[in-house]
Amino acid sequence: MKLCDIIENNAATTIGSTEITSITDDTRKVVDGSLFVCIKGAKFDGHDAAAEMLEKGAAAVVCERDLGLGDRQILTDDTRTLWGKICAAWFGHPERKLTLIAVTGTNGKTTTTSVIKHILMSAGFMTGLIGTIQNEIGDEVIHTENTTPLTYDFMAVLAKMAEAGCRYAVMEVSSFGLCQKRIGPSHFRTAVFTNLTQDHLDYHKDMEDYYQAKKMLFDICDAAVINADNEYGRRLFGEVSCEKYSFSVKENADIYADGIKISSTGSSFWYCCGDKSHLIKTRIPGVFNISNLTAAIAVCLREGIPADTVAEAIENYNGVKGRCEVIPTGSDFTVICDYAHTPDAVENILRSVREYTDGRLICLFGCGGNRDAAKRPKMAKAAASYADRLIVTSDNPRDEEPEAIIKDILAGLEGTDVPYDVVTDRREAIFHALKIAEKGDVIVLAGKGHEDYQVIGGNKRLHFDEREIVAEGMKLL
């Protein structure tokens, strides 16, 4: 592909007829004929390696400052932005061939995107999904490492979706993805804001910075569907200039859920919009999931999907792995696995489960290492507000000492009277929860959800699937 066709009209070059064999922002992937884009990251600045990349065989480099490399350097004000456009051009602009739908927020992204995709597929539209757990092209599952893939990978998967005949691509868009401009020149038909609560403050300097990152999505969409039950959602609704709709499970909004009924086997509610209402039945419990469903319904109705098709699709929807997932035990108590790893998410799952718990509600949780430490005591307080007993353990300690993380967590239990046990090893903690469970109790394993690994000692991943561990523990009883 010629350099001029990759750069298009986004930067000036005198060597536009040069044939490019590959594009990359990774020094390890440069080969003869590569176009290397200099990105300044937190730990490494690609500009420092530009001259070396030319010596290695790169045909040209894209940079933000004059590096004295003559006509083989292409100058631009923002290499991250141009890198996104380069990736889009390299793959034939797949973002223009698909109807893009985005969901952002601290909690609820995975369920909301999954429901939207399920409804669209049920309506006969081939749909791709990009998310935390996995990427999907129709029924094909593709492994992913990031909620929002890195720019090249993002455009590559969009290209595969377009080639496979997808009409839609539904995706989770993270604050990292927005700040790092991973989505390139993508424009979204509809963007959903689920909520904003404390998380990722190890990356964002404060909640305002976190909010502003999320808000970026609503500058590149045709319409917004925004949660009016969240403080930041109400603020966002007042600040965005695109077509917008509010949704709520607590009060009247443009779109709202009414007549909510919750049970251990599912939920039902009336979806209300203007003078129209539709009865929705679902197998997934919890008011927070009704909020996610309400947003998903709004998106699909806007796409022209008939209300009866939407209702039938939701009734047949089985939920997402690791999101309020019941792990079979064959016993007279219940074990639920959930990804809740923020104070708000812990409160949501426990408040929901509390409604149908006949015995005690036991919550097992920990906090990740090398992540926002300020939320650790807040998670403990949230858990103590609803659980009858806590088991404090590890999550993904990474290169922090698990005991130090637990000490931070326990600070949040000061002044509370909820009984708790500390079992540092998560496997042993799960065994302990199973041993103390009685008839009618519900154990919530919070934090891991869909993850089948633990990150210990830096970035070392060890296999750790809580479904397997529960099965192993039940054999020991």
Side-chain angles (χ1 to χ4, degrees), residues 170-476:
V170 184
M171 64 194 73
E172 299 180 44
V173 180
S174 67
S175 57
F176 298 94
L178 290 164
C179 287
Q180 296 170 7
K181 304 177 182 179
R182 296 181 189 175
I183 57 176
S186 300
H187 186 86
F188 299 89
R189 176 167 168 80
T190 307
V192 176
F193 179 87
T194 59
N195 50 64
L196 193 73
T197 61
Q198 184 172 334
D199 198 15
H200 302 310
L201 295 191
D202 52 307
Y203 180 85
H204 300 287
K205 59 183 180 181
D206 52 33
M207 286 298 292
E208 179 63 20
D209 186 61
Y210 186 23
Y211 168 75
Q212 293 297 337
K214 294 290 191 185
K215 186 180 175 182
M216 293 166 65
L217 176 63
F218 299 90
D219 292 328
I220 51 173
C221 68
D222 294 329
V225 176
I226 300 173
N227 186 1
D229 296 330
N230 179 260
E231 175 188 357
Y232 284 99
R234 292 189 292 272
R235 175 182 169 186
L236 181 67
F237 191 84
E239 294 179 355
V240 299
S241 57
C242 62
E243 180 184 342
K244 56 190 175 182
Y245 306 89
S246 61
F247 71 92
S248 174
V249 297
K250 297 179 180 179
E251 58 189 32
N252 285 350
D254 295 326
I255 302 148
Y256 63 96
D258 196 14
I260 297 171
K261 295 181 180 179
I262 305 290
S263 73
S264 60
T265 56
S267 312
S268 68
F269 63 98
W270 287 91
Y271 173 91
C272 305
C273 180
D275 59 354
K276 296 181 180 180
S277 60
H278 309 282
L279 179 61
I280 304 295
K281 297 179 181 179
T282 175
R283 298 173 186 176
I284 57 175
V287 173
F288 63 98
N289 274 323
I290 291 177
S291 179
N292 297 330
L293 289 170
T294 301
I297 293 169
V299 170
C300 293
L301 289 181
R302 185 171 185 272
E303 289 302 311
I305 309 301
D308 290 345
T309 301
V310 171
E312 183 179 357
I314 290 177
E315 191 167 356
N316 294 325
Y317 177 71
N318 291 320
V320 181
K321 180 181 179 181
R323 302 305 195 271
C324 202
E325 177 188 355
V326 176
I327 300 177
T329 62
S331 65
D332 52 10
F333 58 83
T334 302
V335 179
I336 291 175
C337 171
D338 193 83
Y339 189 51
H341 62 285
T342 67
D344 184 65
V346 168
E347 180 177 344
N348 282 338
I349 183 66
L350 295 184
R351 181 172 55 199
S352 173
V353 173
R354 173 86 276 169
E355 295 178 13
Y356 54 81
T357 300
D358 295 326
R360 297 173 302 165
L361 177 53
I362 302 169
C363 179
L364 179 152
F365 75 103
C367 293
N370 305 123
R371 298 293 186 269
D372 182 10
K375 74 179 182 182
R376 294 170 184 172
K378 294 179 181 179
M379 283 183 64
K381 287 182 180 179
S385 297
Y386 293 93
D388 298 302
R389 184 161 181 172
L390 302 177
I391 300 174
V392 182
T393 185
S394 300
D395 193 322
N396 291 323
R398 297 182 177 85
D399 58 13
E400 277 196 74
E401 289 296 328
E403 292 79 8
I405 298 172
I406 290 172
K407 182 179 178 181
D408 289 343
I409 293 171
L410 295 181
L413 297 179
E414 294 178 5
T416 69
D417 57 5
V418 62
Y420 67 86
D421 304 311
V422 175
V423 183
T424 304
D425 182 275
R426 193 172 180 105
R427 181 185 299 272
E428 294 300 322
I430 292 172
F431 291 166
H432 175 65
L434 298 174
K435 289 176 185 176
I436 66 173
E438 300 172 355
K439 182 179 180 180
D441 288 352
V442 177
I443 301 169
V444 173
L445 308 178
K448 299 297 293 174
H450 62 280
E451 294 179 351
D452 59 1
Y453 59 85
Q454 264 200 307
V455 185
I456 297 174
N459 292 319
K460 184 178 180 181
R461 291 194 178 196
L462 302 178
H463 181 72
F464 191 95
D465 189 321
E466 294 191 330
R467 298 149 199 79
E468 297 173 3
I469 293 166
V470 168
E472 182 183 342
M474 292 302 297
K475 293 179 182 179
L476 299 176

Side-chain angles (χ1 to χ4, degrees), residues 72-90:
R72 295 177 71 190
Q73 68 178 13
I74 300 167
L75 289 172
T76 183
D77 293 335
D78 185 342
T79 53
R80 282 191 186 275
T81 297
L82 186 51
W83 173 230
K85 294 176 180 178
I86 287 171
C87 290
W90 181 260

Side-chain angles (χ1 to χ4, degrees), residues 117 121 126-130 136-138 161 166 168-171:
K117 188 219 171 192
M121 291 282 287
M126 182 68 165
T127 304
L129 181 143
I130 296 174
E136 301 171 12
I137 301 177
M161 290 177 181
C166 287
Y168 291 93
V170 184
M171 64 194 73

